[in-house]
Amino acid sequence: MPNIVTNKLRIDNAKNFKNEVSLTSGNSLYLFLSKPSPWSEGDTAPQPLDYSLDIARTWDEMVSLKRIVPTDIAHVVKRINWEKSATYAAYDNLDPDLFSKSFYVINSEFNVYKCIHNNNEQQSLIEPTGKNLDIVTLSDGYRWKYMYSIGIGDRLKFLTNKWMPVLSNDLVIASANPGGIENIKILSAGFGYDSTSTIVIAGDGSSASASPKIDLGVLYDIVYFNTGINYRYATARLVDSTGNGRYANIQPVISPQNGHGYDPVLELNARLLMINCKTTYTEGFGDFPGSFSYRILGIVKNPINANGLISTSTTLSALSGISLRSASNNFSQYEYVQGGLSSANAFVVVSNITGGNGYVKFIQNFDLTSNYSSFFPGETIIGKTSGAIAIVSNLLYPEVMKNKGDILYIENKSPITRTTEQTDNLHLVIEF
């Protein structure tokens, strides 16, 4: 049977996901870095697969996690800069393709406007500016509705060359006119009309009134006296008392249910969320190690910490490790180390040895290491590449339990290498 998943459902799903980030929701969302080992096809990232083995591999190679807080997430839409001489689409509640068109812009002052009327498909010559709560008509014939402004903090986190955040303005919300008729499209200008012609509006709302502008018998513009309220559907016709007017065809455009600017996320179809997290080496005393490469970026919900509780820490390390003594040398990053008694095998991600003492942190994955065996305190380990040897003092446990939490998003990437002094500004854009 014919069916459709509405934009409203997608928007609601995006909003609900954002609400999961609330610090009082009882849930925790974390961004994670995974897979320091190479892809099987070199630097070419394969398509992620949503099945249990791929999820298990992601857990096995997880390195670091950073909690996502409310200020790290925003609805976003495609960035459309206002440009002189461009033609913008006018908002139209009857246009099924509206969301694929350029019907909103961001100006040079980082204000966002919705195009209400485009002067019958003409070029936009005057940049919309200001924060007027009424719809503004410019000298080029365009009419714009101010929606919101993007402040410096949101610009730094969420405004990119491709995306812009969707925010709201309390004054715009308070002044929004539900179901108003703020534009009437002239589909056909007709001929033979005189200056006494009138516009008759009918529908399920009330109070809308407008008057035509006639020149040489032709309709060329409309003056709005009252935009009305609470319309869901409406019709309009041009009436000529002389009976000579012919073939004019006009169509009312009805504002969103709660008015323009009341719900910018819904009105601009912002069913994408951008997550922006910054990570530094110093966070969590090295939870985000420097000088390693990762190939998977993802999101996990409600990871369980070493105490068996949903984690609320700012950062987490997912690496296992061993503290060492009597080391002959430093172990090489990305080499395999093996235990002399346990036959445990591990892939080194971090090695820190000073004066014969220190630690290595590692991952174990059946594809890489052939086993998940634990090292024994007191046994000797050897580096397969470096030839370094050391004695295991103690086992170091990860701060998060593997496979305890729901991985919600995986993005496979070509290798990205972090440096010790590096601050990463990580962006994820998720579509609902």
Side-chain angles (χ1 to χ4, degrees), residues 82-88 122-128 138 140 142 144:
W82 182 85
E83 296 179 357
K84 187 174 182 178
S85 299
T87 301
Y88 297 99
Q122 298 301 305
Q123 293 179 342
S124 176
L125 302 176
I126 308 297
E127 181 181 24
L138 302 182
D140 59 3
Y142 267 70
W144 298 95

Side-chain angles (χ1 to χ4, degrees), residues 200-335:
V200 177
I201 298 173
D204 63 343
S206 62
S207 303
S209 62
S211 177
K213 286 186 174 183
I214 306 294
D215 184 39
L216 299 177
V218 175
L219 173 65
Y220 72 93
D221 200 1
I222 295 173
V223 177
Y224 301 89
F225 298 123
N226 191 332
T227 60
I229 192 171
N230 292 333
Y231 286 91
R232 293 178 303 156
Y233 63 89
T235 60
R237 58 193 177 91
L238 184 60
V239 177
D240 179 11
S241 60
T242 68
N244 295 322
R246 294 286 187 276
Y247 305 123
N249 186 9
I250 56 179
Q251 176 185 294
V253 177
I254 301 173
S255 73
Q257 180 179 0
N258 292 308
H260 293 295
Y262 184 88
D263 187 352
V265 169
L266 183 61
E267 296 169 43
L268 302 186
N269 195 34
R271 55 192 179 91
L272 295 95
L273 291 178
M274 177 182 288
I275 295 171
N276 175 286
C277 280
K278 286 188 176 181
T279 64
T280 63
Y281 173 74
T282 56
E283 287 187 297
F285 302 98
D287 286 347
F288 281 81
S291 303
F292 90 100
S293 299
Y294 64 90
R295 294 160 179 82
I296 294 178
L297 191 62
I299 297 172
V300 60
K301 177 182 176 181
N302 293 342
I304 303 301
N305 63 24
N307 297 318
L309 303 174
I310 294 175
S311 179
T312 58
S313 300
T314 301
T315 63
L316 296 166
S317 173
L319 293 175
S320 299
I322 44 180
S323 61
L324 303 171
R325 66 180 188 274
S326 304
S328 65
N329 205 341
N330 209 353
F331 292 86
S332 299
Q333 189 179 41
Y334 308 142
E335 75 167 327

Side-chain angles (χ1 to χ4, degrees), residues 332-384:
S332 299
Q333 189 179 41
Y334 308 142
E335 75 167 327
Y336 295 92
V337 294
Q338 188 169 32
L341 296 176
S342 63
S343 297
N345 197 24
F347 182 80
V348 175
V349 179
V350 177
S351 176
N352 187 348
I353 305 292
T354 302
N357 299 315
Y359 62 86
V360 295
K361 291 193 173 183
F362 55 80
I363 59 172
Q364 289 178 303
N365 177 313
F366 195 82
D367 296 331
L368 282 173
T369 60
S370 301
N371 67 47
Y372 295 88
S373 300
S374 296
F375 292 95
F376 295 162
E379 74 172 329
T380 298
I381 64 167
I382 184 170
K384 298 292 189 65

Side-chain angles (χ1 to χ4, degrees), residues 94-107:
L94 296 179
D95 185 355
D97 299 319
L98 177 66
F99 294 138
S100 66
K101 299 177 180 179
S102 298
F103 71 101
Y104 61 87
V105 298
I106 179 173
N107 75 354

Side-chain angles (χ1 to χ4, degrees), residues 1 37 47 152 165 171 191 229 245 255 306 375 400:
M1 296 178 63
S37 70
Q47 177 67 31
I152 182 64
L171 294 177
F191 62 86
I229 192 171
S255 73
F375 292 95
V400 59

Side-chain angles (χ1 to χ4, degrees), residues 11 14-15 18 73-77 164-166 265 270 272-274:
I11 295 294
K15 288 181 176 179
K18 187 178 179 182
I73 189 166
H75 294 268
V76 295
V77 291
M164 60 183 238
V166 177
V265 169
L272 295 95
L273 291 178
M274 177 182 288

